[in-house]
Amino acid sequence: MILNKFPTKQEIEREWMDLQQVEACSGGEYPHSRKLIRNWTDRGLVQIKNPNPGTNEKRLYSLKNAIELSVMRDMVSDGKTVRTARIIADKAIKYVYQLIKKRISLDELDIQGHILIYMGTLGTSGAKYFVVEPDKIVEWLTKPQSDMFHVTGSPPMNFHVYHIDYSILRCIQTYQEIKG
């Protein structure tokens, strides 16, 4: 039974899931997913309390880690660099903490926020990343050269829109199924 309650901060941060469970929360099996999770953990892209447990001990992950991995995997699958995916995952986690403060239900999460990625014409070196609330999306999409982004003498900026809610919702629902 899936509850409609959004997890608390303590639930988001508690490390108790093993590799198989965090893989399920972050989107299920895909080619080399466990190897990818281990690699990103080894490289410090995903922070866990004990990245090097003793012999016959399992690494334990949190729901926060699963959300990060889910967003990163989605972004890398879409052709973004791991560095860019990590930045977007950080924004997604900040967004999750905002949702916790709002005490929303999972139904309210459906098609809530988006991440807009504004990139300079020469690549991602000058990229700006934003989480935009749904009531502001139309304004942002119709006026991408607003004062917030326009710098005199700078080239126009291109943007890409990513929906992060699906990744977050998928993780939370799977987490609740595992937790029982």
Side-chain angles (χ1 to χ4, degrees), residues 8-56:
T8 64
K9 183 177 187 259
Q10 291 76 21
E11 288 176 298
I12 294 280
E13 295 175 349
R14 186 171 66 96
E15 293 181 349
W16 65 275
M17 292 187 285
D18 64 21
L19 185 60
Q20 183 177 357
Q21 292 166 322
V22 79
E23 176 186 44
C25 283
S26 63
E29 290 186 31
Y30 48 95
H32 313 291
S33 61
R34 291 183 189 177
K35 184 177 178 181
L36 181 67
I37 292 169
R38 283 189 202 105
N39 179 285
W40 285 350
T41 304
D42 290 344
R43 291 171 55 193
L45 295 167
V46 177
Q47 299 287 321
I48 60 175
K49 287 181 185 151
N50 190 4
N52 298 309
T55 307
N56 296 325

Side-chain angles (χ1 to χ4, degrees), residues 90-115:
D90 287 340
K91 294 290 184 179
I93 293 302
K94 285 180 183 176
Y95 176 62
V96 166
Y97 285 120
Q98 289 172 356
L99 296 174
I100 291 170
K101 285 182 182 179
K102 290 181 181 179
R103 299 176 184 224
I104 69 163
S105 69
L106 292 180
D107 289 339
E108 292 173 289
L109 179 60
D110 192 23
I111 309 176
Q112 270 276 326
H114 306 272
I115 286 186

Side-chain angles (χ1 to χ4, degrees), residues 95-143:
Y95 176 62
V96 166
Y97 285 120
Q98 289 172 356
L99 296 174
I100 291 170
K101 285 182 182 179
K102 290 181 181 179
R103 299 176 184 224
I104 69 163
S105 69
L106 292 180
D107 289 339
E108 292 173 289
L109 179 60
D110 192 23
I111 309 176
Q112 270 276 326
H114 306 272
I115 286 186
L116 296 186
I117 305 172
Y118 279 76
M119 290 188 226
T121 54
L122 299 177
T124 61
S125 60
K128 296 183 181 189
Y129 306 85
F130 300 91
V131 175
V132 181
E133 295 295 325
D135 59 336
K136 303 278 190 221
I137 283 291
V138 173
E139 179 182 339
W140 280 59
L141 292 177
T142 57
K143 298 178 184 178

